[in-house]
Amino acid sequence: MGAAQFALLDYLVLLGFLLVSTLIGVYFAWKDRRSTSNKTFLTGNKELGWVPVSFSMMASYLSSIAILGLPSEVYNRGAILWLGAVSATIAILVAARVFLPMYYNMDITSINEYLEKRFNSTAVRSLAAGVFVIQTLLYMGVVLYGPSLALGSVTGIPVWMSILLNGLVCTFYTAIGGMKAVVWTDVVQMILIYAGYIMVCVAGISHVGGIGRVIEINQQGGRLIFANWSFNPYYTYTTWNVTLSWTIGWMGAYCASQTQVQRYSAIASLEKARKALLWNIPGVSSTLLLSVLSGLVLYAVYGHCDPRFRGDIEKTDQLMPFIIQDLLRDYPGLSGLLVASVFSGSLSTLSSGYNALAAVTWDDFIRPRVSLSDRQAVYTTKAVAGMYGVLSVFIAFLAGSMESIIQASSSLIGAMTGPLLAVFVLGITIPYVRKNGALWGVCLGLAFAWWLTLGSIIYPRSGDNLPVDNAQCLAPNATLLERGSFDPPKTPDGIMAFYHISFIWISALGFVATLIFAVAVSTFFESDDKTEKLDPRYIVPFARRFMDLGDDPMKMTSYKAVPTNEQNRNSHL
C-alpha cells in the first residue's frame, strides 16, 4: 500500500514557508528602497552579523542534493559517506587560513577580480567568470529538480509545476531583496533542514524499535561500511575518492566560489568573517552525519521491501519524503514540514547562486564595458538575477535524466569545479605560473574533465549498489529486483576503462589535470619577459619564498604579513 497523499494542513505548511521566504525579500526590498548602491544589493554593505552569515554559508551548499541524495546513496551503497564530514572540515580550514584573508583584504565584489590582478589579464578573469556562470547554472538546475521530484512523489503535483513554483518564488525574493534577503531566508531554511532530518530519524528509529535495531539491520544488510581502502577506481565510493575528491569539491565551494566570497564581504571585519567560516565545520559536519544516519534509517525501514518495486516511488531520491508520508500519515502537517525542509535546501542554494551570478555578471562583464548610473546599475543587477532564475528553471528539466541527483551533481558540476579551483590555487601558491599557463591550463583541464563526464553519460556503467532483500514485499513483481554485488567492480575494456571510473573522481582529476597543464605551459612555453612584475600581495605568504627577487619590488620576506585594509585605515588615524 502506498503512502498517503498530502492533507490540507500539509499544503498550508508548505505554502506558509514559501510565503515567509517571499515576505523576507519584500521586507528588505522596502527597507533598502532608497539605496542606489550595488554594494548594498550584492554584499549587504557589510551590515550583516557573522551568525546569520555563517548559517547562510552552510545553507548555500546543503541543498536538496544533501537532503535527498546523500541519504539515498547511503541506502544504496553504505555509510562510507560519513567521510564527507572529514573532507568538508579540511576544506573549510584551508579556506579560513589561506584564502579568506587574501580575498577579504582586497575588498572585492567579484572573486575573479583577484585573477585579473594576479595574472595581469582580463582574459583569465573572463574565462573564470564564464566557467563559474556555467557551473552555477548547472548546479542550480540540479538543486531545483530535487525538491520538485520530492514534492511530486508525495503530492501528485507534476514535477514541471513544482519546478516552476520553487524557481519563481526564489527568483522573486532574491531579485528584489538582494544579499540581506538571501542571508535571512537561509537562516530560516537551515533550521528547517535540521527539522527534516530529525523527523526522518525519529520516525524511522521508533518504527523499527530503537537505534540498536537500526544498527543491527544495517549490519546484516552490509550498510555499515565506514572505510573502503581499495584503490580500484571503479568503486563508486572508497575512502580515497570521498576524502580526496570531495575535499576538492568542498574547496571549490569555500575557496574559489563567488557565492561564499560575497558572504565574506558582507561581514564587518576579517576576524568575524573567519569566525563565521569556522563555525561551518560543526554545522556542515553535523548535517552530513545526519544525512548518513537518515540513510541508515531508510534502509532499516525499507531494506526488506523497497518501495520502488511496489510502485510507490520511482527513484531512491524520493525515499526521504516518502518515509514521512508512510510512517506519519496520522499526523497532518509533518509531511508538509518535511517537503518544506527539502524546499529550504533548494531555495537557500538557488538564492545564493542567483545573487552570486548577478555579481559576477555585473562586475566581470557589464561594469567594465557599460557606463550606468548607480540606480541603473542596481536595476540591471536585479534584472540579471531574475534572468538567471528563469534559466535555471529550464536546466532543471534536464537533470531528471541522470540516475541520481548525486551523480548529476558530481559529474556535471565536478567537471567545472576542479579546473576552476585549480586556477585559484595556481594563482595563490605558484608564483611562476603566469597568464598563458593559467589560460591553457584551465581550457585543457576543462576539456579533459568534460571528456570523462560526457563519456560516462553516453556510455553509462552498471551500478554497484548493495543488495536489497525484498522478502517482505507482497507485490508479485518484487522478485524482479536487480540485486547488487559485494564483489569488486570489473575493469572495463578499451575506452570504457576511462568512462566507467567513479563519477566522484571527476572533480579531482580535472583539478590535477589543470595543475599539470598550467605548470607545463608556464615551464616550457611561457615568455621569460620579466617586465611585468608580480605583486607579492597576491601570493600566499608561505609561497613567497619561491618568488624571483625581481618579481618582488616590495622586497617582502616569506612570512611578512600583508597589511589589511583595516590596519591601513588605522595607521592613518
Side-chain angles (χ1 to χ4, degrees):
M1 183 176 63
Q5 295 295 298
F6 253 31
L8 176 61
L9 186 57
D10 295 312
Y11 283 107
L12 292 177
V13 169
L14 179 58
L15 291 175
F17 159 72
L18 294 174
L19 180 61
V20 168
S21 298
T22 302
L23 290 178
I24 290 174
V26 172
Y27 169 75
F28 282 109
W30 174 259
K31 184 180 179 182
D32 294 330
R33 65 190 182 281
R34 292 186 175 86
S35 172
T36 58
S37 169
N38 242 2
K39 280 279 188 181
T40 299
F41 181 78
L42 294 173
T43 66
N45 206 27
K46 293 189 181 295
E47 295 175 353
L48 289 163
W50 70 267
V51 174
V53 171
S54 184
F55 272 89
S56 183
M57 288 181 182
M58 297 177 212
S60 297
Y61 288 97
L62 294 172
S63 64
S64 56
I65 294 173
I67 302 170
L68 298 178
L70 290 179
S72 73
E73 288 295 294
V74 173
Y75 177 90
N76 285 327
R77 296 185 172 105
I80 195 170
L81 294 185
W82 77 272
L83 288 168
V86 176
S87 59
T89 298
I90 295 171
I92 293 169
L93 288 172
V94 172
R97 303 307 305 177
V98 179
F99 288 84
L100 168 61
M102 297 285 289
Y103 298 145
Y104 191 91
N105 292 333
M106 290 177 65
D107 193 27
I108 54 180
T109 298
S110 168
I111 190 176
N112 302 306
E113 186 178 337
Y114 163 77
L115 296 177
E116 180 178 9
K117 293 179 177 180
R118 161 62 177 87
F119 293 105
N120 193 27
S121 169
T122 55
V124 176
R125 176 177 181 171
S126 297
L127 176 61
V131 171
F132 173 80
V133 168
I134 296 172
Q135 174 201 38
T136 306
L137 273 175
L138 288 172
Y139 190 55
M140 299 298 98
V142 173
V143 300
L144 182 53
Y145 170 76
S148 303
L149 176 70
L151 186 62
S153 68
V154 297
T155 65
I157 295 176
V159 171
W160 66 267
M161 188 179 297
S162 317
I163 289 174
L164 291 177
L165 176 65
N166 199 10
L168 295 179
V169 167
C170 185
T171 299
F172 174 75
Y173 77 71
T174 303
I176 68 169
M179 175 59 75
K180 293 179 182 178
V182 170
V183 167
W184 282 106
T185 51
D186 282 352
V187 172
V188 175
Q189 290 155 7
M190 195 66 206
I191 293 170
L192 282 175
I193 289 171
Y194 277 108
Y197 280 131
I198 292 170
M199 273 198 305
V200 168
C201 292
V202 170
I205 290 171
S206 175
H207 177 77
V208 300
I211 188 66
R213 182 60 179 154
V214 170
I215 294 173
E216 179 185 352
I217 294 173
N218 279 275
Q219 187 172 22
Q220 293 171 355
R223 261 61 182 180
L224 295 186
I225 303 172
F226 297 109
N228 178 357
W229 299 102
S230 172
F231 289 98
N232 188 329
Y234 303 104
Y235 273 115
T236 300
Y237 299 113
T238 65
T239 301
W240 306 109
N241 65 19
V242 175
T243 303
L244 299 178
S245 196
W246 274 20
T247 296
I248 298 299
W250 283 108
M251 283 183 64
Y254 280 97
C255 303
S257 170
Q258 175 66 27
T259 306
Q260 299 295 37
V261 170
Q262 278 184 251
R263 279 149 183 76
Y264 304 160
S265 303
I267 302 176
S269 72
L270 175 60
E271 180 182 355
K272 291 180 178 178
R274 181 178 282 119
K275 185 184 295 186
L277 187 52
L278 290 175
W279 270 101
N280 275 241
I281 292 176
V284 171
S285 297
S286 62
T287 309
L288 292 174
L289 294 176
L290 280 172
S291 296
V292 173
L293 178 58
S294 297
L296 296 177
V297 167
L298 291 174
Y299 181 78
V301 176
Y302 297 119
H304 296 294
C305 187
D306 194 309
R308 289 173 295 173
F309 297 93
R310 294 185 310 192
D312 295 329
I313 60 175
E314 296 178 1
K315 296 183 177 183
T316 51
D317 290 334
Q318 297 171 309
L319 280 171
M320 286 288 281
F322 179 82
I323 192 174
I324 296 299
Q325 284 286 91
D326 190 23
L327 301 185
L328 298 177
R329 66 180 70 199
D330 295 330
Y331 300 92
L334 292 184
S335 293
L337 187 61
L338 187 279
V339 174
S341 74
V342 176
F343 265 66
S344 295
S346 178
L347 289 176
S348 60
T349 302
L350 291 170
S351 59
S352 301
Y354 297 160
N355 196 260
L357 286 169
V360 166
T361 302
W362 165 254
D363 214 55
D364 295 326
F365 296 114
I366 299 177
R367 184 177 60 81
R369 296 170 175 84
V370 180
S371 178
L372 298 175
S373 67
D374 289 342
R375 186 170 295 277
Q376 288 174 328
V378 172
Y379 288 149
T380 300
T381 308
K382 291 183 176 183
V384 169
M387 176 196 70
Y388 282 123
V390 174
L391 281 175
S392 69
V393 169
F394 287 101
I395 295 172
F397 288 102
L398 303 178
S401 61
M402 306 293 284
E403 177 187 352
S404 69
I405 56 177
I406 289 292
Q407 181 184 350
S409 172
S410 297
S411 298
L412 297 177
I413 293 89
M416 316 288 284
T417 299
L420 186 59
L421 172 65
V423 73
F424 285 94
V425 172
L426 286 164
I428 210 169
T429 62
I430 307 182
Y432 79 86
V433 172
R434 297 300 175 91
K435 174 180 66 177
N436 290 333
L439 285 171
W440 281 103
V442 172
C443 291
L444 293 173
L446 284 170
F448 175 72
W450 272 104
W451 171 66
L452 290 177
T453 297
L454 294 177
S456 68
I457 293 174
I458 296 172
Y459 303 102
R461 66 182 192 146
S462 57
D464 57 351
N465 291 358
L466 297 173
V468 177
D469 176 15
N470 278 329
Q472 294 179 359
C473 278
L474 299 178
N477 65 340
T479 56
L480 295 178
L481 175 62
E482 183 178 323
R483 294 179 178 273
S485 173
F486 291 104
D487 298 327
K490 295 181 180 179
T491 301
D493 297 324
I495 196 68
M496 299 305 164
F498 295 96
Y499 292 159
H500 286 180
I501 64 172
S502 170
F503 54 82
I504 300 298
W505 280 115
I506 288 178
S507 60
L509 292 173
F511 175 79
V512 172
T514 303
L515 293 181
I516 293 173
F517 289 136
V519 171
V521 169
S522 289
T523 301
F524 297 109
F525 303 105
E526 196 81 63
S527 170
D528 291 330
D529 183 14
K530 297 294 184 180
T531 57
E532 294 183 359
K533 303 302 181 182
L534 176 61
D535 193 329
R537 288 176 297 182
Y538 305 137
I539 302 294
V540 73
F542 66 76
R544 291 179 193 144
R545 68 178 67 183
F546 304 112
M547 291 181 64
D548 189 312
L549 289 178
D551 284 340
D552 192 353
M554 300 174 66
K555 299 298 185 291
M556 301 177 68
T557 59
S558 298
Y559 291 95
K560 187 175 180 180
V562 180
T564 65
N565 293 334
E566 194 170 347
Q567 290 170 338
N568 285 332
R569 287 194 299 269
N570 292 336
S571 67
H572 294 293
L573 295 179

